[in-house]
Every structure is written in structure tokens, then in C-alpha cells.
């Protein structure tokens, strides 16, 4: 299925295969993973039961079985080594929920109080409170977080409930593939056989008539059967251009709510929570300083915190205001700067590393190009409003998990390697200069 956050996801058709992989092939798989020098890298794996593979693969369980035979000799898993729990957790990974986004770590403020309350209500009473729930707002204000949190909470409340999160890009690709591969019924099952469908960034479907049609049917099917639909978008329904009227009006059937830019208090609270969860020791006045410096996008707010603390730990210096000032000198709040485009980022990164733009788009796996590419992805994630799949597309049609991995990896590396930290900072300051 793909690698996400250092974990390789393996889709298998049934519980039996999952159990076998987990029990008997764990050692060899972990060993093999350690040897693969892939991008993104995985150090552990998780088996996901995907019943959809059923008809195609159930008829041929033999390869799996025979592959298992010699591995009864495989060494037992070394004690204490990290792996994910077997079958029990599979239902959850099938939802595509990101466990990082929960209500617990969502900070409530004036700007999102209503959206949060609506999201909680929907999770507590799917299809009974508001259906659909439509959440809109600018990029980086917590829409995706709320969507995942609804799923997470509902799963905790209702054992066995079927939840599915999907970005509109994935939905589109899935739909197109289902047509190409003649698997329309699998596509329908995937999206219609759920209790809660969480669909992110619906504006992506603008002008895509066929996919809209497919979504229209999915929506109707779910709604008619009292299944919950939650939709996010960057604009309210009536401003969705390139949508049919009947779609837009359907989006207005339930509740429409927005998320706004957080006020200063909320920004500080968000930073405090983030510092806690990342175990960063950051004095209040520094959090406050960062919160005044970055005001319009929570993703950038978090990026600024990570950068300041990375700088302090690299230099083993005190995390104080003057340090934060130095580090954030070149971070220009989007409110008072021209918006930075991904092409600016990519060309600035290429230039900095003396590479061509095509090197960054391309498939070279040489370490230096790969790192430059990951830095460019990191900056696109932090500095633009593009979604992960969009950024992936930009970089030669890479998967969104690759972008997510790049973002995590560079965030981590900045703390450990001065060279990486400096490179990211210098490219940022270049961008800051050209934006002013
Ligand atoms: P959007 O989908 O609206 O572009 P995201 O949900 O991706 O925004 O949020 C961007 C980042 O900000 C995420 O890391 C998210 O966890 C964080 N975030 C957003 N709102 C909050 C909040 N109210 N409390 C804590 N973190 C938040
Ligand atoms: Mg989002």
C-alpha cells in the first residue's frame, strides 16, 4: 500500500493472511526493510485487511502459503523490537485516519469553537445531528484535523463503526482507476459501505464532472441510508464554482460552519500544546513571541516553533526571545507578504543546491538530490496552501505519503544536523527576500 511515517502498509485480502504475515513473516519482513534503501524508508510494517482484494486474491492464497513455509525457520522477533500489533488494529488502519489528529489535541478558541462543537456532535451521533456537516475555511486552520478527529472519536465511541477518510484527490484517482480497471463495484463498496465518510478539500472536484457525478451518487446513497457525510472545502458551498447546483444545494442540507484564523490567545495555546506533545521546553514569552510573528496559518505557526527549538538545540543555547528573533527574522507572515508559490520554492531550492528544477521533479535517488527534493517538499508543505497529494503531483507524481515522509524527515533532521538547518533557513530567507 505504501509507506507512511516510517511504516510500510501491506494490504492483504483477509484476516488469515494478516495473522500469518504478522506471526510468521515478521522477522524476514523487518530484516528486508532494514536492507531496502527506499524513499520513503520504512522501519516497521503494519498489515491492513482490505476485503476488496478478496475476489482477486482469495482464489490464489497459495503463493502466500508457500512463501510462509520456509519461514517457520525464521528467527523470532528480537525482544523489544518495535512492530505494530496484529489483526486487532487493522480495522482502524483501514480508515486512513491519522492518529495525530484528535479532539484531545485540538485547541478550542473563538475562531473554531462552533466548528469544533459541530464536529463533536457529529461524532457522537452520526447522521443524527447534522448531515452533511460542511466545514470550510482557509488553508492551515484545522479542517483536516477536525475531520480525522471526528473519525477517531466515533471509533472510540462505537465499536465496529466503519469510518473512511479520503482526500478529494484520492477519491478522484480512485474513481478514475476503478473505471480504467473495470472495478466500479469495488469503488462503490469502498465509499458506500461506510457509516461515516469524511471527504477533505471538496473544492478539488471543481470542474471534474464525472467524479462529481460519482460523488453525487455516493452522497445520496449514504444520506438515504442515514450514514454520516462530513465535507471540508476552502470556500462555502455557494462559492464552489464548477459544481452543479444540485450538488451545492445538497451540501447545504445539513450544517455549514467555518474555521477562522485563530486569535493571539488561541495561537499561544496551540503552541503550548504542540510544545508539550513534542516535549519541547519553551518559555512562555518565546511562545508568545512566535504567536505574534505568525498569525494566519497554524501549520506555519507550528513550523516556526519547530525551527526555533531546532536552532536552540543545535547550538545548545538558551531558548529566549532574542534567539527566536534571530531565527524568525526571515519568516514573513503571509498577511504582509506576497504569497510564495511552489515554483518559487522549487527554483530557489534548485538554485541553492546548484541543481536544475528537473532534478527536483525527477527520479534521481542520489542522496544529495533526494535531500534537496525533500527540503523543497518540506518548504512547499510549510509555506504554501497546497495539500500533500498536490505537492506530490508537482514532484513528478509522487505519492502523498512521500511528501508526508519528507516533511517529517526534514523537521527531524533540522534538529540534528546543522547543515540541514542552515540550508532550510537560507532558502527561506531567499524566499523572504524575493517576496518582499
Ligand atoms: P487545513 O486542513 O485547514 O488546511 P490542518 O487541519 O491541516 O489545516 O491544520 C494544520 C496544522 O495545524 C495541523 O498540524 C493541525 O494539527 C494544526 N492545527 C490546526 N488547528 C488546530 C487547533 N485548533 N489546535 C491544535 N492544532 C491545530
Ligand atoms: Mg486540509
Amino acid at each position: 500500500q505504501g509507506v507512511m511515517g516510517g511504516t510500510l502498509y501491506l494490504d492483504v485480502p483477509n484476516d488469515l493472511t494478516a495473522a500469518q504475515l504478522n506471526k510468521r513473516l515478521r522477522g524476514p519482513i523487518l530484516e528486508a526493510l532494514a536492507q531496502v534503501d527506499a524513499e520513503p524508508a520504512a522501519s516497521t510494517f503494519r498489515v491492513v485487511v482490505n476485503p476488496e482484494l478478496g475476489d482477486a486474491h482469495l482464489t490464489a492464497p497459495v503463493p502466500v502459503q508457500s512463501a510462509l513455509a520456509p519461514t517457520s525457520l525464521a528467527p523470532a522477533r528480537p525482544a523489544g523490537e518495535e512492530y505494530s500489533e496484529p489483526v486487532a488494529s487493522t480495522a482502524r488502519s483501514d480508515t486512513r485516519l491519522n492518529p495525530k489528529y484528535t479532539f484531545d489535541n485540538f485547541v478550542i478558541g473563538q475562531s473554531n469553537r462552533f466548528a469544533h462543537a459541530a464536529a463533536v456532535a457529529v461524532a457522537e451521533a452520526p447522521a443524527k445531528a447534522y448531515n452533511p456537516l460542511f466545514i470550510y475555511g482557509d488553508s492551515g486552520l484545522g479542517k483536516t484535523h477536525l475531520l480525522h478527529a471526528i473519525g477517531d472519536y466515533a471509533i472510540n465511541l462505537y465499536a465496529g463503526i466503519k469510518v473512511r477518510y479520503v482526500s478529494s484527490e484520492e477519491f478522484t484517482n480512485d474513481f478514475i482507476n476503478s473505471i480504467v480497471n473495470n472495478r466500479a463495484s469495488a469503488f462503490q463498496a469502498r465509499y458506500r459501505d461506510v457509516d461515516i465518510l469524511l471527504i477533505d478539500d471538496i473544492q478539488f472536484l471543481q470542474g471534474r464532472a464525472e467524479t462529481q457525478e460519482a460523488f453525487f451518487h455516493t452522497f445520496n446513497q449514504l444520506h438515504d441510508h442515514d450514514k454520516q457525510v462530513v465535507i471540508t472545502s476552502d470556500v462555502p458551498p455557494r462559492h464552489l464554482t464548477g459544481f452543479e447546483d444540485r450538488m451545492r444545494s445538497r451540501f447545504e442540507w445539513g450544517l455549514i460552519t467555518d474555521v477562522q484564523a485563530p486569535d493571539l490567545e488561541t495561537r499561544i495555546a496551540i503552541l503550548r500544546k504542540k510544545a508539550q506533545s513534542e516535549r519541547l521546553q519553551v518559555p512562555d514569552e518565546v511562545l508568545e513571541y512566535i504567536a505574534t510573528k505568525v498569525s494566519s496559518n497554524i501549520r506555519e505557526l507550528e513550523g516556526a516553533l519547530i525551527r526555533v527549538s531546532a536552532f536552540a538545540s543545535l547550538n545548545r543555547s538558551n531558548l529566549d526571545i532574542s534567539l527566536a528573533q534571530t531565527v524568525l527574522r526571515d519568516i514573513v507572515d503571509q498577511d504582509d507578504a506576497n504569497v510564495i508559490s511552489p515554483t518559487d520554492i522549487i527554483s530557489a531550492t534548485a538554485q541553492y543546491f546548484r541543481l536544475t528544477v528537473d532534478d527536483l521533479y525527477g527520479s534521481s535517488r542520489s542522496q544529495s538530490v533526494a535531500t534537496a527534493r525533500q527540503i523543497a517538499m518540506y518548504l512547499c508543505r510549510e509555506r504554501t496552501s497546497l495539500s500533500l497529494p498536490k505537492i506530490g503531483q508537482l514532484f513528478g507524481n509522487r505519492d502523498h505519503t512521500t511528501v508526508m515522509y519528507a516533511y517529517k524527515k526534514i523537521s527531524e533532521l533540522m534538529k540534528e544536523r546543522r547543515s540541514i538547518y542552515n540550508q532550510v533557513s537560507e532558502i527561506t530567507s531567499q524566499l523572504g527576500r524575493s517576496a518582499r
Side-chain angles (χ1 to χ4, degrees):
Q1 250 305 311
V3 176
M4 190 158 30
T7 300
L8 172 71
Y9 287 81
L10 301 168
D11 272 20
V12 297
N14 53 43
D15 289 351
L16 179 70
T17 315
Q20 301 274 39
L21 283 178
N22 275 314
K23 283 209 192 83
R24 307 180 64 182
L25 278 174
R26 183 179 302 129
I29 292 177
L30 289 173
E31 254 167 54
L33 283 180
Q35 276 157 29
V36 179
D37 184 24
E39 174 214 19
S43 56
T44 174
F45 72 97
R46 180 177 285 249
V47 182
V48 181
V49 176
N50 182 354
E52 213 175 280
L53 294 173
D55 39 344
H57 293 247
L58 264 181
T59 49
V62 192
V64 178
Q65 296 293 348
S66 58
L68 284 171
T71 59
S72 44
L73 299 173
R77 186 177 60 88
E81 188 168 346
E82 216 197 60
Y83 73 98
S84 36
E85 346 64 300
V87 205
S89 66
T90 51
R92 198 178 183 95
S93 19
D94 212 23
T95 63
R96 317 272 150 168
L97 290 177
N98 182 341
K100 268 177 53 182
Y101 296 149
T102 63
F103 284 132
D104 273 349
N105 57 25
F106 189 85
V107 175
I108 303 161
Q110 245 1 287
S111 51
N112 58 31
R113 187 179 305 281
F114 195 64
H116 172 266
V120 170
V122 158
E124 286 179 343
K128 297 205 173 63
Y130 318 105
N131 201 12
L133 172 61
F134 191 102
I135 306 172
Y136 70 92
D138 286 342
S139 176
L141 299 183
K143 300 183 296 296
T144 298
H145 190 137
L146 282 176
L147 219 46
H148 285 273
I150 291 172
D152 173 79
Y153 189 35
I155 286 175
N156 282 321
L157 288 175
Y158 303 99
I161 194 168
K162 285 195 207 140
V163 177
R164 187 163 187 106
Y165 168 89
V166 68
S167 73
S168 295
E169 281 104 322
E170 279 177 78
F171 184 86
T172 303
N173 292 336
D174 221 11
F175 171 66
I176 293 170
N177 288 335
S178 78
I179 293 182
V180 173
N181 303 326
N182 226 336
R183 293 181 60 80
S185 59
F187 171 82
Q188 291 181 2
R190 188 155 46 238
Y191 294 106
R192 296 183 193 178
D193 184 21
V194 296
D195 300 303
I196 303 182
L197 180 65
L198 309 161
I199 184 157
D200 210 355
D201 291 319
I202 200 80
Q203 76 276 359
F204 182 82
L205 300 192
Q206 287 179 71
R208 295 170 199 262
E210 285 88 5
T211 312
Q212 274 184 35
E213 185 75 21
F215 181 67
F216 187 69
H217 289 302
T218 304
F219 180 97
N220 289 338
Q221 175 86 10
L222 291 171
H223 200 274
D224 288 351
H225 289 85
D226 277 336
K227 307 297 185 190
Q228 179 71 46
V229 181
V230 187
I231 303 167
T232 72
S233 160
D234 61 353
V235 291
R238 72 198 129 86
H239 289 161
L240 278 170
T241 50
F243 271 80
E244 288 184 44
D245 284 344
R246 56 178 189 162
M247 290 274 280
R248 280 201 299 246
S249 70
R250 218 141 285 215
F251 294 161
E252 293 174 348
W253 277 357
L255 182 75
I256 303 171
T257 171
D258 67 342
V259 283
Q260 289 169 3
D263 54 28
L264 181 64
E265 287 302 306
T266 311
R267 297 200 297 276
I268 295 170
I270 289 172
L271 286 174
R272 191 167 292 138
K273 192 132 209 167
K274 179 83 180 167
Q276 256 167 25
S277 73
E278 304 272 319
R279 295 172 208 284
L280 303 171
Q281 300 283 346
V282 190
D284 276 354
E285 68 261 27
V286 173
L287 295 180
E288 278 164 35
Y289 176 77
I290 298 172
T292 52
K293 193 76 182 161
V294 183
S295 64
S296 49
N297 182 318
I298 298 170
R299 193 175 298 117
E300 290 187 25
L301 189 66
E302 293 179 342
L305 173 67
I306 287 169
R307 223 177 268 204
V308 167
S309 68
F311 185 88
S313 88
L314 279 172
N315 293 286
R316 301 183 197 292
S317 53
N318 254 347
L319 224 179
D320 55 21
I321 294 214
S322 80
L323 178 137
Q325 277 170 339
T326 314
V327 174
L328 299 184
R329 203 176 37 214
D330 296 311
I331 300 262
V332 189
D333 192 351
Q334 285 206 339
D335 272 352
D336 43 64
N338 298 320
V339 177
I340 295 171
S341 76
T343 38
D344 292 342
I345 291 173
I346 291 165
S347 57
T349 310
Q351 204 177 3
Y352 179 86
F353 288 105
R354 296 179 210 285
L355 296 168
T356 66
V357 166
D358 286 334
D359 289 334
L360 296 184
Y361 291 139
S363 57
S364 163
R365 281 165 182 270
S366 89
Q367 191 60 50
S368 56
V369 176
T371 305
R373 185 182 297 129
Q374 287 173 333
I375 289 178
M377 288 179 178
Y378 171 90
L379 288 168
C380 284
R381 174 70 175 149
E382 191 190 277
R383 307 290 298 173
T384 74
S385 61
L386 295 183
S387 65
L388 294 170
K390 260 277 160 57
I391 297 172
Q393 261 169 29
L394 206 60
F395 285 85
N397 261 328
R398 288 176 156 79
D399 194 77
H400 71 280
T401 54
T402 306
V403 183
M404 201 192 285
Y405 173 78
Y407 183 79
K408 263 192 79 173
K409 179 168 167 203
I410 297 301
S411 310
E412 291 293 316
L413 278 181
M414 280 203 297
K415 287 185 226 160
E416 292 155 20
R417 300 232 304 260
R418 180 178 304 270
S419 59
I420 300 279
Y421 180 89
N422 288 343
Q423 286 160 355
V424 173
S425 302
E426 279 162 36
I427 298 167
T428 308
S429 83
Q430 207 103 65
L431 288 166
R433 272 196 290 283
S434 52
R436 260 171 279 189

